[in-house]
Amino acid sequence: MANFEITGKFKPGFFWEKFTKTIESENEKSAREKVYSVMGSKHGLKRRCIVIDTVSEV
């Protein structure tokens, strides 16, 4: 399992806010899915309100 650092932005209200998450995952695709899942459940967001800019292995 590798660590991935994911940066992007999300829209909880009227304005976009930046975020950086470190996720432990098998590959980049599952790391992206995990971020959508975590951010969606934590902030009550749909996937269209979450934009992932970069994914890099740490």
Side-chain angles (χ1 to χ4, degrees):
M1 301 273 277
N3 286 327
F4 291 92
E5 186 176 80
I6 301 172
T7 60
K9 56 187 174 182
F10 67 102
K11 190 174 182 182
F14 294 109
F15 303 105
W16 289 93
E17 295 184 28
K18 294 181 181 180
F19 72 87
T20 301
K21 291 276 187 194
T22 302
I23 301 290
E24 184 178 351
S25 182
E26 294 178 4
N27 56 33
E28 183 179 326
K29 184 177 178 182
S30 62
R32 285 178 179 266
E33 292 297 320
K34 183 72 173 179
V35 167
Y36 283 128
S37 175
V38 170
M39 295 294 288
S41 65
K42 184 175 180 181
H43 298 284
L45 300 171
K46 305 282 187 194
R47 287 177 178 243
R48 67 178 180 259
C49 294
I50 303 168
V51 177
I52 295 174
D53 294 328
T54 61
V55 179
S56 60
E57 190 170 348
V58 179

